[in-house]
Amino acid sequence: MYRIILSISLIVFISCASAANNSVKSAAESKIISDTNIIEIKSEEASFDIWERIRLELSITIPDDQIAATSLYRERLYSNQTAVNRISKSGQRYLYHTLTRAQELGLPVELALLPFVESEFDPYAKSVDGATGIWQFMPATGKEWGLKSNWWYDGKKDVLASTEAALQFLTYLNEKFDGDWLLAMAAYNTGPTRVNRAIRKNKRENRPIRFWDLNLPKETTAYVPKLLVLCE
């Protein structure tokens, strides 16, 4: 009789423990789901906040006499919205950092979007010429601006380090070209020597020396308008 009572007691105890465990598990699962929803909501809010910050602080515009000339890039952008959304989504995690640093340094927010044009914000992007990372640093330029590289580590792929180097480089180029950010961005793409050569040529011919009037490589001629159209 004692054994029967003991067995029944054990069964009741095990059942109660199992129910309690399921209750705790259910509560934990609910908490995880709840936390996930919170994270998703915060992510969406952060995404909205990033683009709102950019829209509020845009300072570089396409001049009226170049609106028609840049319409091709605008049409391509609007007709390929799926790709734009994909790039935008993939770049959000890094855009927050590039935007924050640009604002902290008092630089145009447009610069934070340059990696969209350079690499689609891919830290592992590598061009046929050897440019690497979201800012597409060439090995020599990266080394010049303090990006270390060895068997285990490549600063050009380091988003934090390469962003610091890129913004310092762009600031230097801006000062070199008398505060003209369009010429600074063009020089970032094709090199300051090539831009200076184009400026000297236009001066000899008594022509304007705006970015829009210079004879630059085809890639560079498209580089700046692509960024400005993206910012619109």
Side-chain angles (χ1 to χ4, degrees), residues 179-200:
D180 190 320
W181 281 111
L182 297 186
L183 294 180
M185 287 188 283
Y188 184 89
N189 177 256
T190 194
T193 301
R194 182 68 185 81
V195 174
N196 272 324
R197 191 184 308 140
I199 290 174
R200 289 195 299 270

Side-chain angles (χ1 to χ4, degrees), residues 167-181:
L167 295 180
Q168 288 176 20
F169 185 26
L170 283 161
T171 299
Y172 161 79
L173 291 171
N174 176 252
E175 293 171 356
K176 185 178 181 66
F177 290 102
D178 300 322
D180 190 320
W181 281 111

Side-chain angles (χ1 to χ4, degrees), residues 6-227:
L6 180 62
S7 297
I8 293 172
S9 299
L10 285 173
I11 291 171
V12 170
F13 175 78
I14 292 171
S15 298
C16 291
S18 177
N21 183 58
N22 288 337
S23 177
V24 171
K25 184 178 179 182
S26 177
E29 289 175 347
S30 298
K31 180 69 167 59
I32 291 171
I33 293 171
S34 176
D35 288 347
T36 302
N37 290 336
I38 291 171
I39 291 170
E40 288 177 352
I41 291 170
K42 286 183 177 179
S43 176
E44 290 174 0
E45 289 175 351
S47 173
F48 173 78
D49 180 59
I50 288 174
W51 290 107
E52 186 65 16
R53 284 163 60 188
I54 291 172
R55 280 192 292 270
L56 290 173
E57 295 194 29
L58 291 174
S59 60
I60 305 174
T61 58
I62 299 173
D64 292 340
D65 64 336
Q66 295 298 319
I67 297 295
T70 57
S71 61
L72 173 64
Y73 307 109
R74 199 171 289 103
E75 290 169 4
R76 287 177 179 175
L77 183 72
Y78 294 160
S79 64
N80 200 12
Q81 194 60 44
T82 301
V84 173
N85 292 340
R86 173 179 55 79
I87 296 169
S88 176
K89 185 175 181 180
S90 66
Q92 280 176 11
R93 59 188 300 190
Y94 304 127
L95 176 58
Y96 179 84
H97 177 68
T98 60
L99 174 61
T100 299
R101 285 303 291 142
Q103 290 179 316
E104 289 173 347
L105 295 170
L107 304 177
V109 295
E110 287 85 349
L111 301 184
L113 293 168
L114 270 179
F116 272 124
V117 181
E118 286 285 352
S119 64
E120 297 186 359
F121 268 102
D122 181 358
Y124 301 100
K126 189 170 184 177
S127 73
V128 293
D129 297 322
T132 305
I134 67 170
W135 292 96
Q136 289 291 281
F137 269 105
M138 293 292 288
T141 309
K143 184 177 181 180
E144 180 182 355
W145 288 94
L147 294 178
K148 298 178 181 179
S149 181
N150 54 45
W151 181 262
W152 306 105
Y153 171 79
D154 187 351
K156 298 185 296 298
K157 296 178 182 178
D158 184 325
V159 173
L160 302 184
S162 63
T163 295
E164 292 301 307
L167 295 180
Q168 288 176 20
F169 185 26
L170 283 161
T171 299
Y172 161 79
L173 291 171
N174 176 252
E175 293 171 356
K176 185 178 181 66
F177 290 102
D178 300 322
D180 190 320
W181 281 111
L182 297 186
L183 294 180
M185 287 188 283
Y188 184 89
N189 177 256
T190 194
T193 301
R194 182 68 185 81
V195 174
N196 272 324
R197 191 184 308 140
I199 290 174
R200 289 195 299 270
K201 181 176 183 295
N202 275 28
K203 284 182 176 179
R204 287 195 303 269
E205 298 173 357
N206 293 317
R207 296 175 57 197
I209 57 171
R210 300 181 310 167
F211 162 79
W212 310 99
D213 303 302
L214 300 180
N215 182 20
L216 295 169
K218 185 177 180 180
E219 177 187 338
T220 307
T221 301
Y223 180 81
V224 172
K226 282 180 181 178
L227 173 68

